Amino acid sequence: MPHSKTIRYAKTALFTTLLALLAVLASAQQMTFAPSALVDQSHDFKFVVSHFAGALNQTGFRVVDSYADFPPQNLNSFNLLVLHQDNTSIPWDAASTQAVDAFLRQGGGVLVFDDNGYRNPASPPNPINQILEKYGLHVTRRWEKVPLYVHSASSWGQGFYITQFIRRSSVIISTDPQHYKLHPVITDPAGRCVMGWVNVGNGRLLVTGEMMMMDRTPTAVHDMFAVKLLNDTVTNSKVNAVWTNITSWLATGSTTPIYKPKVLPAHTSAYPVNFAANGKLRVYYTLPLRTRALFILAKFSKIYKLLQNMYHCHPVQLTLMTLATDGGAWTSTPRIALGALADNTTLQGFMLWEMTNAWPLPQPPSWVEGWTSFTHTLLSSTLRLQGQRVKSMPFTEQELTIHADDPTNLKINIAKRDLEGKLGRSVTGHRWNYLKTIKIGLLLDHLYRRYGVQLFRRLIHIHHAIYSAETTTDNNIPISLRSYTIPSFSEYVREWSLAAGRNMSHYFHRWGATFSPPNLPAANAQIKALGDSLVLKDKQMIREDKNAKQVYEANRQQLSNSSWINSISLKHNFLGDVPASDWIENLQNPPARLAYLAVHSGVDEHGFLVIHPKTPDTPCVMAVTEKVPAAGKPLLVVEGMLRKNGSPVTMRIYIDSQEVWHRNLHTPLTPFYATINLDSWLGKSIRVRVENDSNGNWGFREVLIHCIGVINNNHKKQTAPVHH
């Protein structure tokens, strides 16, 4: 395309664009298998790459987002390999380059995203050249912004054109055209290749010099790449269609979109296997980041104790992991991933921020990272930290920032989940949801200065009491409160009111929150009394759960010899009703049956019985008949946990027709222990029934039951008797 014509396209400045892969090869029949893609995050982590991996999965790929050392042993089991590198200097060793080369020559597709244009001009060349140089390719930085054009000589670009100046993309240089012919797809005004591909053996290598080509959501504000048809508009579906063609072509040799099943294939993650440990705490790392993992391990205890002393609670056992970046971190409890290449001060700021995210602090759906903003600002001075973005500003500066955009304190509604696109343009240039996070942190600071940290500790107890056990005898607590871990904002104001001992509705209204009136007694004295009772209830449950765990540990041998599994019955199980013989065989771990049982019955690969409600309104019921000894200190013991990423459920245990225990489980992978004193049933046969109830809600409500049995208690502490 002549440059004189393309300049006016660049001047329209609506979006930047990607290309469409049209028919390079003859169309093949639609694929009936799900190809697999490995997305490497071990050399450089970026959130946009994770989003790209998710989009790959949506188009029908099995995807592994890999944070583990590269290359994996099973690289040949994949069809597509996605590599990228931007701001790290982690090298690609000989094993990596050899593995990529073998993968390509055997017919695999490799997609390389380079972002060298964002590196400082004085920085060394991007290490990803260590992969590319074998094929006569080299990416080099360019500091100036230029318009890009679809290569006119390539049929790949037909029907598409450039509509936006992009940011500083890298240039792909071909140094061995005789053996590896570079096919340009997008070029700059000088005709230099910005996106192109080469054949390598039976496979194909596609390289692009612009990281933001990964973003599949065209947004003018973020100046991302997008696809624009002639005389048409940009849509997400067109962006996805182009990338579907590209990835299908690389992975399968066809431009025909791959077969997309009704149930999408798996999107999983692979994590590092190396770890540094201090007691139960582990920090997992890739080999180049071992030194940074040791630093994280050394600083963890101090930050953990600060948070524990602040809130008098703690999360489940955390697992930390290094990320190959200096600018980011994430939390998916119990895993925390930290940008290990940041300087020491910033890395500790990441730790404080993400560990607060993992802390069990009650918040409604609209309060994303509100507690974290407050805690990070409050404790940063203690740790002498500088945090992320403006999160490290003192509260006084944060108030000035909020006042500029919300002078009446009513514009930013802290009860709403998403404010973007609804309030116009902010004066300070920040996104509205981010400003809301700062505002919530300021509100918590005001409450902290007015009531002290004791208010927060009471709130945590009250929240836990409401959501860990149904308060069926308390008519002041609506049924909806007994089902959800995160309440509505009205229910959240109710919790704050119970903690403060007074109706806090007017206070939250003054901070710009809109919500329906909470269900509270009229008198403040009654509000305080109800709050006090819930605090005491939670403290009692904490003692009971601690004792139950001690009883379980002291009697584990008895439980392993229990004969209860011989008479199990399971009904209304979403995953299928499991014959007792299947579970018994699985507990003995015959390898040949593990995969079958995991798929065809409700037993997982570790021998846990998986119980899931049959429908939103039909609990899964597990029952067993047991004989209670006529003498001694008999106890019924049940142990299990909510599955990883599981949604809240209500677990109930009945003896005959009497409910003897219940909890609302809402923390995945945290074991629960139920011990019920059987003094009232000495010498009798009892029918034990365990229910997993979704309370009318739905989705991922699997509970893993590890053991259940009647034992004679060898632990010195006794559980309270159950009367009937």
Side-chain angles (χ1 to χ4, degrees):
M1 180 179 292
H3 297 165
S4 60
K5 292 184 178 180
T6 57
I7 294 298
R8 57 188 174 90
Y9 292 140
K11 289 182 178 178
T12 60
L14 297 175
F15 297 98
T16 39
T17 110
L18 200 52
L19 62 140
L21 283 178
L22 301 178
V24 178
L25 299 176
S27 295
Q29 291 185 350
Q30 192 176 49
M31 298 297 165
T32 57
F33 68 96
S36 298
L38 178 77
V39 181
D40 177 59
Q41 296 263 44
S42 67
H43 286 78
D44 191 0
F45 167 76
K46 269 192 168 9
F47 285 107
V48 69
V49 178
S50 297
H51 301 158
F52 183 83
L56 267 180
N57 178 243
Q58 292 295 314
T59 59
F61 276 81
R62 292 187 182 94
V63 176
V64 175
D65 223 349
S66 180
Y67 302 89
D69 284 292
F70 187 89
Q73 292 182 348
N74 62 337
L75 188 59
N76 287 337
S77 65
F78 296 94
N79 307 99
L80 177 66
L81 179 58
V82 179
L83 309 177
H84 70 101
Q85 197 157 15
D86 173 12
N87 59 353
T88 74
S89 298
I90 297 176
W92 298 80
D93 58 21
S96 298
T97 58
Q98 291 169 8
V100 173
D101 186 63
F103 179 79
L104 277 165
R105 296 187 185 281
Q106 292 171 13
V110 176
L111 177 58
V112 173
F113 287 92
D114 169 63
D115 214 17
N116 210 16
Y118 294 93
R119 297 161 68 87
N120 187 292
S123 62
N126 196 328
I128 209 163
N129 281 316
Q130 295 163 346
I131 294 285
L132 301 179
E133 61 188 10
K134 185 184 289 286
Y135 315 110
L137 301 178
H138 183 87
V139 289
T140 183
R141 61 185 175 273
R142 175 184 44 223
W143 200 239
E144 74 280 4
K145 291 184 178 181
V146 295
L148 300 184
Y149 319 115
V150 174
H151 196 258
S152 59
S154 173
S155 62
W156 296 34
Q158 290 180 358
F160 296 85
Y161 70 98
I162 300 302
T163 62
Q164 173 69 297
F165 283 95
I166 73 160
R167 292 181 278 190
R168 307 171 183 91
S169 64
S170 295
V171 172
I172 305 164
I173 299 173
S174 174
T175 59
D176 188 8
Q178 181 178 356
H179 295 95
Y180 298 98
K181 181 181 178 181
L182 177 62
H183 302 269
V185 180
I186 294 181
T187 55
D188 68 3
R192 294 176 296 185
C193 182
V194 172
M195 185 174 191
W197 61 277
V198 296
N199 286 316
V200 180
N202 294 321
R204 300 174 188 85
L205 169 65
L206 179 67
V207 185
T208 173
E210 171 57 59
M211 182 71 69
M212 300 320 295
M213 285 185 181
M214 275 190 167
D215 198 302
R216 291 176 142 189
T217 305
T219 307
V221 173
H222 292 95
D223 195 25
M224 304 300 188
F225 263 85
V227 178
K228 185 176 177 66
L229 290 171
L230 288 170
N231 302 317
D232 204 346
T233 57
V234 178
T235 64
N236 288 5
S237 62
K238 290 171 184 173
V239 177
N240 284 332
V242 168
W243 273 114
T244 299
N245 284 340
I246 293 173
T247 52
S248 298
W249 177 77
L250 284 171
T252 66
S254 169
T255 56
T256 303
I258 60 176
Y259 171 69
K260 184 177 180 180
K262 292 182 179 179
V263 179
L264 290 175
H267 181 187
T268 58
S269 297
Y271 298 112
V273 296
N274 307 296
F275 64 87
N278 182 1
K280 293 183 178 181
L281 175 68
R282 291 183 175 185
V283 181
Y284 288 84
Y285 61 87
T286 53
L287 292 177
L289 299 178
R290 181 179 182 275
T291 302
R292 303 306 288 157
L294 295 175
F295 175 83
I296 292 171
L297 189 67
K299 298 299 180 182
F300 174 84
S301 295
K302 182 176 182 179
I303 299 175
Y304 190 97
K305 289 177 182 177
L306 270 178
L307 292 170
Q308 192 171 38
N309 292 338
M310 176 79 177
Y311 295 115
H312 282 193
C313 65
H314 57 84
V316 297
Q317 183 67 42
L318 297 176
T319 297
L320 277 63
M321 181 182 82
T322 59
L323 285 178
T325 181
D326 61 359
W330 53 260
T331 297
S332 180
T333 307
R335 186 181 302 276
I336 296 177
L338 300 162
L341 296 177
D343 62 78
N344 291 348
T345 300
T346 303
L347 179 53
Q348 290 180 81
F350 289 163
M351 293 176 67
L352 176 58
W353 186 272
E354 298 301 336
M355 287 170 66
T356 308
N357 275 334
W359 230 253
L361 302 173
Q363 59 185 3
S366 62
W367 277 34
V368 177
E369 296 193 324
W371 279 101
T372 311
S373 177
F374 161 72
T375 307
H376 188 279
T377 306
L378 183 71
L379 298 182
S380 285
S381 58
T382 303
L383 294 171
R384 298 179 181 178
L385 302 181
Q386 294 177 353
Q388 309 166 59
R389 300 192 299 274
V390 299
K391 296 170 186 173
S392 60
M393 291 192 308
F395 288 119
T396 51
E397 290 185 36
Q398 292 183 20
E399 286 180 339
L400 293 174
T401 301
I402 294 300
H403 184 75
D405 277 306
D406 191 5
T408 64
N409 216 25
L410 300 175
K411 185 174 183 179
I412 300 175
N413 190 337
I414 59 174
K416 298 297 182 182
R417 293 194 67 170
D418 189 4
L419 301 180
E420 299 304 328
K422 300 173 183 177
L423 299 177
R425 193 176 185 85
S426 70
V427 174
T428 57
H430 296 298
R431 299 178 69 243
W432 288 108
N433 287 338
Y434 177 67
L435 291 170
K436 182 181 68 174
T437 297
I438 295 178
K439 185 175 179 179
I440 294 167
L442 290 171
L443 179 150
L444 291 170
D445 178 57
H446 281 230
L447 289 171
Y448 175 72
R449 288 187 279 113
R450 180 172 180 177
Y451 293 96
V453 72
Q454 192 61 35
L455 174 68
F456 298 161
R457 295 169 183 169
R458 280 177 58 86
L459 176 76
I460 293 166
H461 277 302
I462 289 168
H463 182 83
H464 190 256
I466 292 173
Y467 292 103
S468 291
E470 295 178 312
T471 50
T472 53
T473 60
D474 186 353
N475 294 327
N476 289 317
I477 298 179
I479 293 176
S480 60
L481 268 175
R482 306 168 192 163
S483 305
Y484 296 95
T485 303
I486 301 177
S488 69
F489 204 86
S490 176
E491 293 162 343
Y492 193 51
V493 173
R494 181 180 185 275
E495 288 187 21
W496 278 105
S497 301
L498 294 172
R502 56 187 291 265
N503 193 322
M504 298 287 283
S505 297
H506 294 300
Y507 180 83
F508 282 92
H509 283 312
R510 290 199 301 270
W511 280 85
T514 56
F515 51 91
S516 57
N519 185 2
L520 288 166
N524 286 342
Q526 293 175 299
I527 295 175
K528 185 178 184 306
L530 180 56
D532 290 344
S533 68
L534 288 170
V535 171
L536 292 175
K537 182 181 183 67
D538 185 52
K539 290 180 178 179
Q540 179 183 350
M541 284 194 298
I542 291 173
R543 289 193 295 269
E544 290 176 355
D545 291 345
K546 181 179 180 180
N547 185 48
K549 180 179 180 181
Q550 293 172 340
V551 169
Y552 169 79
E553 295 291 344
N555 295 280
R556 182 177 297 190
Q557 185 60 41
Q558 287 190 65
L559 288 166
S560 65
N561 295 330
S562 176
S563 62
W564 75 281
I565 53 178
N566 293 314
S567 59
I568 181 179
S569 70
L570 188 64
K571 296 181 178 180
H572 311 306
N573 194 23
F574 183 77
L575 299 177
D577 296 343
V578 185
S581 59
D582 280 356
W583 198 15
I584 293 171
E585 289 186 48
N586 192 60
L587 287 176
Q588 295 169 354
N589 289 324
R593 292 185 58 81
L594 285 179
Y596 174 84
L597 288 171
V599 174
H600 296 286
S601 65
V603 181
D604 82 344
E605 65 274 17
H606 302 295
F608 284 77
L609 180 63
V610 182
I611 59 176
H612 190 294
K614 185 74 172 182
T615 71
D617 301 310
T618 307
C620 180
V621 179
M622 182 180 68
V624 61
T625 299
E626 279 280 10
K627 177 70 174 179
V628 180
K633 304 171 184 177
L635 291 176
L636 172 66
V637 179
V638 181
E639 186 257 338
M641 68 178 69
L642 187 63
R643 192 192 261 290
K644 181 180 180 181
N645 300 327
S647 302
V649 299
T650 297
M651 291 294 296
R652 298 185 183 89
I653 301 175
Y654 297 84
I655 296 180
D656 297 333
S657 59
Q658 179 185 356
E659 182 181 303
V660 294
W661 185 90
H662 60 248
R663 288 288 191 275
N664 278 354
L665 307 181
H666 51 79
T667 306
L669 300 182
T670 300
F672 69 84
Y673 307 89
T675 57
I676 294 94
N677 191 312
L678 298 177
D679 288 350
S680 299
W681 290 274
L682 291 176
K684 299 179 181 179
S685 290
I686 58 174
R687 187 66 171 170
V688 179
R689 191 168 85 250
V690 179
E691 290 187 1
N692 174 9
D693 192 346
S694 68
N695 301 293
N697 305 298
W698 199 235
F700 302 110
R701 299 179 186 275
E702 299 171 358
V703 171
L704 310 180
I705 301 296
H706 184 242
C707 69
I708 178 173
V710 173
I711 52 96
N712 266 311
N713 184 21
N714 296 322
H715 189 59
K716 61 182 181 180
K717 291 187 178 180
Q718 300 296 308
T719 57
V722 176
H723 302 288
H724 69 297

